[in-house]
Amino acid sequence: MNRITQKLQEDKKILSIYFSAGYPNLNDTVQIIQDLEKNGVDLIEIGLPFSDPLADGPTIQASSTTALHNGMTTQILFDQLKNIRESVKIPLIIMGYFNPMLQYGVEAFCKKCAEIGIDGLIIPDLPVDVYADEYKAIFEKYGLINVFLITPQTSDERIRFIDSVSNGFIYMVSSASVTGSQSGFGNVQEDYFERISNMNLKNPQIIGFGISNKETFNQATKFAKGAIIGSAFIKHLSENGSGKISEFVGEIR
């Protein structure tokens, strides 16, 4: 069974952390993953840096740019992660844009992910229809879960279609803006969380964008299986380096 599926069956709220591979330094990737697991994080999204990250706010964009300047590439990330399963047991997801995967070769990319022990992919700019028609069989061949994003503007019909082709969780974007921390969720967002919860989808939802602390984590997980923290963690890395991860996670849980 895929590690993501196993983790989602646990009777707990999932804390997922996103960071850009190769940030703050090129060779920090593995240490950050190990430290996050050690401190009780349930799932990790490893960002594959890209030069034109449309959905990302300024914090993640800046970390992605730094990682690229540090020399991070798809191949270097794969090389860094080749022995990751010797020390890390929790689910690992690579999150990135479709262009680098296309350049690498979609099947070759999926095959490499499977060899390393990556459990899933999040590709914000790969439309679900194109995935279903052209790539679903390849992902399934290599046992990879593909995670799709929904927003407050996604129609119920589209959400149900995404649910039908998904076999892990649905990434529920909290608002229509780009990524970034905010102070809390208002009534409009809570109504949206509740509306999706009441759709009784077969895949659980994990909420991302705007989760930065214990308060927003608890608000988000009131209606969903878990929440994702990205920008706030990257800010912590930029201010403290990779040495104080336990402090960050300790303030959430």
Side-chain angles (χ1 to χ4, degrees), residues 45-67:
E45 295 169 21
I46 306 158
L48 178 58
F50 184 53
S51 55
D52 189 21
L54 298 174
D56 296 322
T59 302
I60 291 177
Q61 278 196 21
S63 70
S64 190
T65 300
T66 299

Side-chain angles (χ1 to χ4, degrees), residues 13 63 104 124 127 164 170 187:
K13 296 297 185 181
S63 70
Y104 196 89
S164 73
I170 292 172
N187 292 337

